């Protein structure tokens, strides 16, 4: 069963989720739950690194988040991560980092909500 699309802006590609379901079948819940758990940890790490002004660590964590978000079909989060990576490489725009980080937090929360709904739809 396919999850219904409940928002005007899809944070995760339904097509990609269905493709993953076809490719990995029973392993999909494990993959999506792993994303849910690790992405939350990654966002927390980004916030902590920002407080410490550890921009090198932020870039590394952001790169990981971008890759995992892309693999599960996130539509906007990978581009937000690219935007943050670019800011981290340009010291002149350091004041924009909190804004982009806030957008990453919001987007990742929406992704987690969408993935949980998708997982619930697989069980019905």
């Amino acid at each position: 069963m396919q999850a219904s699309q409940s928002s005007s802006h899809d944070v995760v590609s339904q097509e990609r989720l269905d493709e993953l379901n076809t490719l990995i079948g029973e392993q999909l819940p494990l993959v999506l739950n792993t994303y849910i758990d690790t992405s939350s940890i990654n966002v927390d790490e980004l916030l902590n690194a920002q407080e410490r002004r550890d921009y090198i660590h932020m870039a590394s964590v952001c790169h990981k988040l971008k890759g995992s978000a892309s693999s599960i079909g996130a539509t906007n989060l990978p581009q937000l991560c690219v935007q943050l990576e670019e800011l981290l490489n340009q010291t002149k725009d350091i004041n924009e980092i909190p804004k982009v980080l806030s957008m990453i937090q919001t987007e990742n929360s929406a992704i987690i909500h969408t993935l949980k709904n998708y997982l619930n739809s697989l069980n019905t």
Side-chain angles (χ1 to χ4, degrees):
M1 177 180 207
Q2 294 182 358
S4 63
Q5 297 174 349
S6 60
S7 72
S8 60
H9 129 174
D10 296 326
V11 295
V12 179
S13 163
Q14 181 69 42
E15 183 178 310
R16 178 65 178 152
L17 288 175
D18 292 340
E19 177 184 309
L20 285 171
N21 195 19
T22 299
L23 291 172
I24 61 176
E26 292 178 3
Q27 295 299 311
L28 184 59
L30 175 63
V31 169
L32 297 182
N33 281 313
T34 298
Y35 175 85
I36 290 167
D37 294 340
T38 59
S39 70
S40 296
I41 292 168
N42 286 336
V43 170
D44 287 344
E45 276 190 57
L46 284 171
L47 294 169
N48 291 332
Q50 181 202 12
E51 286 177 17
R52 295 188 317 272
R53 296 179 187 244
D54 185 350
Y55 301 126
I56 293 171
H57 185 65
M58 282 184 78
S60 172
V61 173
C62 189
H63 187 75
K64 285 192 303 188
L65 182 60
K66 177 180 66 177
S68 28
S70 294
S71 70
I72 57 105
T75 56
N76 297 318
L77 185 57
Q79 184 55 41
L80 287 171
C81 289
V82 167
Q83 190 177 348
L84 181 58
E85 285 177 317
E86 289 171 355
L87 288 172
L88 291 167
N89 290 323
Q90 300 172 0
T91 55
K92 64 181 181 188
D93 291 330
I94 213 83
N95 293 328
E96 290 294 312
I97 289 173
K99 177 182 165 189
V100 176
L101 194 49
S102 177
M103 292 188 309
I104 286 173
Q105 278 184 282
T106 301
E107 191 72 13
N108 195 60
S109 293
I111 290 168
I112 289 171
H113 179 75
T114 299
L115 294 180
K116 286 180 177 180
N117 285 341
Y118 186 83
L119 287 167
N120 286 337
S121 77
L122 294 176
N123 295 325
T124 57

